[in-house]
Structures are given as structure tokens and as C-alpha cells.
Amino acid sequence: MPAPGVAAHVIAAMVRELAALGFDAAREVPALAAPPRADGTVAGEAANALLDVAAAHLGDEHVGLAVASRLPAGALGELDYALCTSPTLRQAWSLEVRFYRLVSRRRRLVLLEEGARCALALEILPGVAVTRHWLEFSLAIHAQRIRHMLGERARFLGVELEEAPPQPEVLARWFEAPVVGGAARTALLMPTALLDLPTRTGLPHLTAALEERLYALAPELDPLVAEVRAAIVGVLASGAITVEEIAHQLDRSARTLQRELAERGTSVRDLVDDVRRARAIELLATGLTVSEVAERLGFSEPGAFYRAFRRWTGKAPGAFRPVHG
């Protein structure tokens, strides 16, 4: 399976700001010419190259700070706008923790409350390479948003980086906080008391509508959709999966479940296909045969699974099995 990437709209916004700084990404990073992948992301290797090559070209060891400084509120898409209009930082980070995959599939964002201080930490997914410039950019864009939302009340207690920066004094001036390199995590530290201060940019009347929009962009994160997916996983091997069967598990009528899923732009059939596709790819990667995978996913015979897999991915199942040299 391809390595997780970064949302194409995030890359596009960064490319525009780098162009204003004098860096021609299209010419200097040819990999960015490839169209976004099916999940709307740009490959992680191309994303890394964007900032690495820009740093060398512009002679700026901390180019991520320069890009973050230039991106206005909302420039990184719906999630960015939802953050900036949240009534408090706590609500903003709650949204971002849930929907972070809308901007990056390469890492998780976690908010850790540690007494009088809290840490907004970036956890890199196993086996994924994220360069120092990207990590600095990620912390800097969050710091920018906090400053935008809180104004002069915003302050930071420290920055922790797993890789020691070449010019820590530059980072310390930018964040107005101590910088520790070689730390056990990558995190932005601030007083816990800031989490519940009212933001100066909050638009509470938009909160519900924006959250609904985020679920529309990532329907698999909707609580009901998650419940349906879990129910489907439990009966995958049983063969034909009906709306009535899933609705019964969720203590709903079939009609109610169909209506609720339709409002979210999906259906039981769509979710069965999605769960089977994801599970099929996982099982094929372990070395199971097409027949074995077909049986585990409840297909009547291997040919039916083969045809379904072709429809889902455009490739034969064998393309996803490990190659033994």
C-alpha cells in the first residue's frame, strides 16, 4: 500500500506562499506535478521534498516558520477554518484531533494535559518519514493559529523537537519560548489555562454546521458510520450482509438507518464495500491466497471476490500480495 500523504489542498497553499518567497515548486520539485492520489493526498516523499528543497534554494534552515507566518486563518481548508472559529482552544483541538486526517495521513495530533501545562504533540505513524522542516512547520502553524485566536493572551512555555534544530535560537525567537532538541517527542507546550479562554475569533453559531461539514468530508469518522462499520466487521464472514441485520444490531429500524446514512451521503452497501476493500488489502498483504481472503470476507466463491476487488481498486488481488524474491 502507498505510504500516507498530505492533503493536496494543504500542499497547494504552501506552494503559493513559497512562490511569493521566490521558490518555484513546479520546476524544483518535479514529483509535485503528479495528480493527487485517490484519497486526495500528495505522496509523503513529494511533500518532504517540497520543504527540503525550498530550504536549500532559499537558504533558510527554518523555512517552515516563514511559510507558517504567511498562511492566513482558513488557508488550509475547512478544518483550519473550523479551528479558528471555535469558541475555545479546547474545542478547537477536540475537532482537530478527530479530523486531522483531512490535512495529513502521516501523523496523529494529541492534546496532553500535564497539570499546569499542556502539550500539543505530533505522533508520527510507524514507518512514515516526516522531515524536520515539516515538523517545524506543523508546530509553527498551530502557534500562529493560537496567536490569531487569543491575541496577546497567547504564550508558549516551550518547544520540544526530536531532531535538534541547526539554529535553535531562531526557533526560540519565533515561538518566544525555550526550544529543546533531541526530545522524546515533537510538541508545543503552553499553559493549560489557555484551553478554556474564549477566543476572539469564535463564531459559536457556526460550530454545528462546520462539524457537519467535516463529517461530510470524512464520513468514516461520523459516530453512526463508525458504529455501522464496526457492525459490518463483526459479520463479514457471514456472506450477504443486509440492512435489516445491521439495523437490528444498532437497535434501529432498517428505514431509519437507511435515512440516517443517506443524510451522510452513504449507505450500508457502500460501507460493506469499503470495509471489505480495506480488509481485503490487509489480508492479501499477509500472504493469504485469493480463495482464503474471499472466504473470510463472505464471498460465495473466489471469482466473485476477484470481480469485486477489480471494481474497488482497478487492480487484480495479486497486485497486493507480497512478492517473494
Side-chain angles (χ1 to χ4, degrees), residues 219-296:
E220 69 277 13
L221 300 179
D222 184 285
L224 173 61
V225 174
E227 285 185 61
V228 173
R229 289 172 66 92
I232 291 168
V233 168
V235 294
L236 267 183
S238 66
I241 300 171
T242 66
V243 175
E244 289 75 17
E245 181 180 12
I246 300 302
H248 178 72
Q249 288 192 49
L250 301 183
D251 197 26
R252 284 172 164 81
S253 70
R255 178 172 293 183
T256 296
L257 180 60
Q258 288 174 312
R259 175 180 54 77
E260 290 178 325
L261 290 177
E263 290 171 352
R264 291 160 170 80
T266 189
S267 66
V268 169
R269 180 178 178 178
D270 289 342
L271 294 175
V272 168
D273 271 359
D274 190 48
V275 170
R276 278 180 162 163
R277 177 193 55 78
R279 185 66 178 140
I281 292 171
E282 291 175 2
L283 293 173
L284 289 167
T286 69
L288 291 181
T289 66
V290 169
S291 295
E292 289 169 329
V293 175
E295 182 180 356
R296 293 198 185 192

Side-chain angles (χ1 to χ4, degrees), residues 190-212:
M190 57 189 172
T192 301
L194 296 185
L195 293 179
D196 295 310
L197 293 179
T199 64
R200 62 179 187 172
T201 57
L203 296 171
H205 62 286
L206 291 180
T207 301
L210 288 171
E211 188 166 349
E212 184 176 328

Side-chain angles (χ1 to χ4, degrees), residues 28-306:
E28 303 293 340
V29 188
L32 290 175
R37 301 187 298 189
D39 63 357
T41 66
V42 170
E45 297 83 356
N48 285 339
L50 173 64
L51 286 185
D52 288 354
V53 176
H57 183 90
L58 298 172
D60 184 352
E61 282 289 351
H62 298 288
V63 70
L65 306 184
V67 176
S69 298
R70 298 181 58 87
L71 287 166
L76 299 181
E78 286 91 341
L79 179 56
D80 192 12
Y81 183 68
L83 293 183
C84 296
T85 56
S86 294
T88 66
L89 289 184
R90 186 183 298 280
Q91 288 171 270
W93 304 143
S94 174
L95 276 179
E96 193 172 18
V97 166
R98 274 185 286 157
F99 293 102
Y100 197 67
R101 69 190 307 276
L102 290 174
V103 293
S104 177
R105 307 288 179 96
R106 303 197 295 174
R107 52 188 185 263
R108 288 184 290 266
L109 185 77
V110 294
L111 177 64
L112 305 170
E113 294 188 49
E114 303 166 340
R117 75 174 192 177
C118 63
L120 199 61
L122 295 166
E123 294 184 350
I124 309 302
L125 297 180
V128 174
V130 180
T131 60
R132 173 179 64 82
H133 293 299
W134 266 99
L135 295 175
E136 290 181 7
F137 166 77
S138 298
L139 294 184
I141 196 66
H142 284 95
Q144 279 294 91
R145 296 301 179 254
I146 292 169
R147 286 167 172 161
H148 175 73
M149 295 162 74
L150 294 182
E152 62 184 16
R153 297 170 296 169
R155 66 187 181 92
F156 307 111
L157 301 176
V159 174
E160 296 178 346
L161 294 166
E162 295 171 64
E163 182 179 343
Q167 298 172 346
E169 68 281 1
V170 172
L171 291 173
R173 284 197 302 270
W174 196 92
F175 287 97
E176 298 180 335
V179 174
V180 176
R185 63 184 179 181
T186 296
L188 179 64
L189 310 179
M190 57 189 172
T192 301
L194 296 185
L195 293 179
D196 295 310
L197 293 179
T199 64
R200 62 179 187 172
T201 57
L203 296 171
H205 62 286
L206 291 180
T207 301
L210 288 171
E211 188 166 349
E212 184 176 328
R213 172 60 181 159
L214 295 175
Y215 277 129
L217 292 170
E220 69 277 13
L221 300 179
D222 184 285
L224 173 61
V225 174
E227 285 185 61
V228 173
R229 289 172 66 92
I232 291 168
V233 168
V235 294
L236 267 183
S238 66
I241 300 171
T242 66
V243 175
E244 289 75 17
E245 181 180 12
I246 300 302
H248 178 72
Q249 288 192 49
L250 301 183
D251 197 26
R252 284 172 164 81
S253 70
R255 178 172 293 183
T256 296
L257 180 60
Q258 288 174 312
R259 175 180 54 77
E260 290 178 325
L261 290 177
E263 290 171 352
R264 291 160 170 80
T266 189
S267 66
V268 169
R269 180 178 178 178
D270 289 342
L271 294 175
V272 168
D273 271 359
D274 190 48
V275 170
R276 278 180 162 163
R277 177 193 55 78
R279 185 66 178 140
I281 292 171
E282 291 175 2
L283 293 173
L284 289 167
T286 69
L288 291 181
T289 66
V290 169
S291 295
E292 289 169 329
V293 175
E295 182 180 356
R296 293 198 185 192
L297 297 183
F299 283 88
S300 57
E301 46 91 19
F305 166 65
Y306 185 95

